Amino acid sequence: MSENKGMLDWYFKSNLLSRILIGLIAGAVVGIALGYGDPGTVKGFVDNTKFFGDIFIRLLKMIVVPVILFSLIAGAASIAPSRLGRVGVKIVLYYLLTSAVAVTIGLVFANILQPGDGMNIVGNEAIKGKVAESPTIVTILLNIVPTNPAESLAKGDVLPIIFFSVLFGLAISYVKDAKDAALAKHAENLFQLINAAAETMYRLVRGIMQYAPIGVFFLIAIVFAQQGPKALGPLLMVTLAVYLGLVAHLFLCYGGFLAVFNLGLFRFLKGANEAMITAFVTRSSSGTLPVTMRVSEENLGVPRNISSFTLPLGATINMDGTAIYLGVCAMFIGYATGHPLTIDQQLTVVITATLASIGTAGVPGAGAIMLLMVLESIGLKVETGSAVAAAYAMILGIDALLDMGRTSLNVTGDMAGSAIVAKAEKELDVEKWA
Ligand code: ASP
């Protein structure tokens, strides 16, 4: 390709991460400044600039399904079925264990900081109580098998897409070994073609990320303009407890796990940061998936036959940041309404929040809906006009701020798990970690 020589050289030639960070910080400063202004200005700013952030999210979403489909078919076609099974078991165990640890860390910080203690909220601020419907385990399992793969692709349902792509990929690897030489050759070509398609998608991700600094600026400015000052009020403790929990989980749980496998946390963070920031600003694990997959392969050396399976799965079921948030918020609502959670209730929260985090969709704000289910499990019902509903409404008020941090940790957990499983399978390109 010809060299980019033009007016925008200074932009395209400078380091992408620095540009994204500048966008992030500048967005936060502008947003906070606007947030102290009058509501009319904020509204005007949001209405006029929402487009620039939304376009970034749409660009990412545009390639989520093709990225999963092509990488996973190519990945499954190049891995032995028995190994795929082993990778599957390992990654699911890792995801479950780290989520349970995450809730516990959230509860520990909430016990120390006691967010909401002494607030004595009484029921007045009405909010509609929505009870999250929890589907039965049989329905969940059944729905993993698509009745029409094209429909799943069109709707972007990740689990059925994973299921279909893995089978497709495995079948290609069998046909590649067919006795009929011509057929075997076609299957090999098909594999190469799909691999090239996956590669093309990663190339697209790289192109889209060139727009990230601008998208990031507007996304962050809007969140801070709308929510910043609010979090500085009585909700400061909740925000602090959630963020301390996120950082502690990163260092203790991921740092510890990586160290056990002889991998350095700081080297990991250096490779993973682009995806972490994208998750922070888009507040969507699913939307970040193309970036998560690209950096895991290119910067962390996780081979496609592992990352193409573990990362889409993680973006769907592994939400450690959400688990921490659920633990802290359940505690906050207990304190704020004058019913601090007992030890038994906290143990129940560990179980229900772990399950709820699995069920949380990787889209903005999904965790706040699952919080209803966790509260229900410990007898705190969000009913119209109740104190619990008022406390819940306060949390919703700052949800975007909490969502940024939790989503970032959610995808970090997926990347750490994928690197660890790849290392355990002796497939990690350790040179990338040198
Ligand atoms: N936004 C989060 C994610 O996409 C889910 C949540 O709301 O907790 O990972």
Side-chain angles (χ1 to χ4, degrees), residues 283-286 315 319 322 325 360-368 399 403 406-407 410:
R283 288 184 270 138
S284 167
S285 307
S286 311
M319 310 262 170
T322 304
Y325 153 88
T360 307
V363 296
D399 191 57
D403 202 3
R406 67 181 191 248
T407 309
N410 288 348

Side-chain angles (χ1 to χ4, degrees), residues 193-205:
L193 194 69
I194 292 177
N195 214 15
E199 221 41 72
T200 311
M201 289 305 141
Y202 290 131
R203 183 69 196 78
L204 263 181
V205 179

Side-chain angles (χ1 to χ4, degrees), residues 61-85:
K61 282 196 175 162
M62 172 180 84
I63 43 173
V64 171
V65 168
V67 165
I68 306 179
L69 182 74
F70 295 132
S71 326
L72 198 45
I73 296 176
S78 53
I79 189 171
S82 61
R83 167 162 269 183
L84 190 63

